[in-house]
Amino acid sequence: MITKPSKSLAAALALGLAAVLAAGAAHAQELKIGYVNSERVLREATPAKAAQAKLEAEFGKREKELADMANKLKAAGEKLDKDAPTLAESERNRRQRELVEQNRDFDRKRREFQEDLTQRKNEELASVVERANKVMKQIFDSEKYDLIIQEAVFAGPKIDITDKVIKALNAQSGNSK
């Protein structure tokens, strides 16, 4: 997901990189650049997987309750449709009102669930991103990189340090347990 600020930042970085490369072939050979695929880090690193498992444990029960509620609503709607021709108008109207009310309750609970889940995902994601950024900074400092970028249109495997970042995050996660 590229936003306008990151497009302009990427363009500025690309222009700056082009200027450095144009400054001289000898200087360009000394330039050490790394690329990190953030999506892969957030999908494959142990802390990211642990955060996902934590969210599933935290929200699994509510998600199952919502699925059960949806199935009951669907069954009640189908039963009403089936029974409607034989019901008295007052009974049919009463059951329709009940169904509408139950559906409204379900929609509210589903919306609350989505809001809570989104908030917790953002919290967990922020924690993983913070840890990943610290790891990237350590790699940047210890291996004397001139530039590490996280978003790029194209990046060759020669500068891709995603695996290194994932391994370092996984090692940290193993040490913190």
Side-chain angles (χ1 to χ4, degrees):
M1 173 168 61
I2 298 177
T3 61
K4 289 184 182 184
S6 48
K7 281 184 181 177
S8 58
L9 178 61
L13 287 173
L15 286 174
L17 184 58
V20 169
L21 293 175
H27 181 68
Q29 290 173 352
E30 298 170 18
L31 195 61
K32 188 169 182 181
I33 300 172
Y35 163 73
V36 178
N37 182 330
S38 301
E39 288 180 26
R40 257 191 69 212
V41 171
L42 293 175
R43 190 176 57 244
E44 298 175 14
T46 301
K49 289 178 181 178
Q52 182 63 34
K54 185 176 178 182
L55 288 170
E56 286 171 8
E58 188 175 330
F59 287 92
K61 182 180 177 190
R62 277 177 67 187
E63 188 173 31
K64 185 182 180 331
E65 288 171 357
L66 281 172
D68 291 346
M69 193 174 188
N71 289 335
K72 287 178 184 174
L73 271 171
K74 182 180 177 190
E78 290 170 355
K79 182 169 176 26
L80 177 62
D81 288 344
K82 181 183 159 207
D83 296 345
T86 62
L87 291 174
E89 187 176 340
S90 61
E91 178 64 13
R92 185 174 57 241
N93 288 340
R94 184 189 65 77
R95 285 173 60 177
Q96 284 175 335
R97 278 193 306 274
E98 283 179 5
L99 199 56
V100 166
E101 188 59 38
Q102 289 170 353
N103 199 37
R104 207 175 287 137
D105 187 44
F106 170 75
D107 287 343
R108 180 185 51 77
K109 286 180 180 181
R110 187 183 62 214
R111 201 172 33 255
E112 288 172 356
F113 171 80
Q114 277 306 130
E115 289 170 1
D116 292 347
L117 179 62
T118 300
Q119 180 180 350
R120 286 290 295 124
K121 270 186 182 177
N122 289 341
E123 291 168 0
E124 291 294 328
L125 182 65
S127 172
V128 173
V129 166
E130 182 180 338
R131 291 172 67 182
N133 285 340
K134 285 180 182 175
V135 164
M136 285 185 272
K137 175 69 170 133
Q138 291 168 346
I139 291 170
F140 178 85
D141 292 337
S142 68
E143 298 185 20
K144 299 187 182 353
Y145 276 88
D146 295 303
L147 175 69
I148 293 179
I149 58 175
Q150 290 181 301
E151 302 300 328
V153 176
F154 301 105
K158 189 166 59 172
I159 65 166
D160 190 341
I161 61 169
T162 305
D163 287 333
K164 190 181 293 187
V165 171
I166 291 171
K167 286 177 187 166
L169 264 173
N170 292 351
Q172 269 189 0
S173 138
N175 293 339
S176 67
K177 286 181 181 176

